[in-house]
């Protein structure tokens, strides 16, 4: 069985927060974009707010690099 998800992001918003919905339009995951940080950070949460993972851009690297941490902060 294949799960399909749809990302809903506001065109004009303070911050980079958006929702990921299932095919039925139910909000499944929230992506909380942190705006006032030097590195771009996205925190993936369940709809009820439990943190699942965090993606953070690394600075000062030759190639674009990101770090993905689980809810416990492990890379």
């Amino acid at each position: 069985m294949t799960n399909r998800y749809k990302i809903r992001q506001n065109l004009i918003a303070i911050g980079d927060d958006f929702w990921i919905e299932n095919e039925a339009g139910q909000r499944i995951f929230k992506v909380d974009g942190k705006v006032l940080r030097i590195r771009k950070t996205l925190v993936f949460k369940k709809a009820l707010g439990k943190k699942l993972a965090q993606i953070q851009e690394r600075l000062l690297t030759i190639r674009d690099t990101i770090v993905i941490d689980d809810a416990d902060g492990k890379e």
Side-chain angles (χ1 to χ4, degrees):
M1 179 178 192
T2 303
N3 291 322
R4 294 182 184 257
Y5 296 100
K6 177 174 33 177
I7 297 175
R8 289 233 187 245
Q9 186 175 15
N10 293 330
L11 291 175
I12 300 173
I14 297 173
D16 290 329
D17 297 354
F18 55 92
W19 286 96
I20 299 175
E21 300 175 348
N22 65 10
E23 289 184 45
Q26 297 170 311
R27 292 178 169 181
I28 304 298
F29 304 108
K30 180 178 183 185
V31 180
D32 184 8
K34 305 296 183 185
V35 205
L36 300 175
R37 294 188 178 192
I38 296 171
R39 299 187 265 189
K40 183 168 183 146
T41 303
L42 299 173
V43 178
F44 286 76
K45 300 178 180 179
K46 284 191 168 187
L48 297 176
K50 182 180 177 185
K51 182 178 175 180
L52 297 173
Q54 174 175 299
I55 298 176
Q56 191 170 54
E57 179 183 36
R58 281 205 173 147
L59 297 177
L60 302 174
T61 57
I62 295 171
R63 295 187 201 172
D64 287 342
T65 306
I66 60 171
V67 176
I68 302 174
D69 296 331
D70 65 11
D72 298 323
K74 297 177 189 165
E75 257 186 57

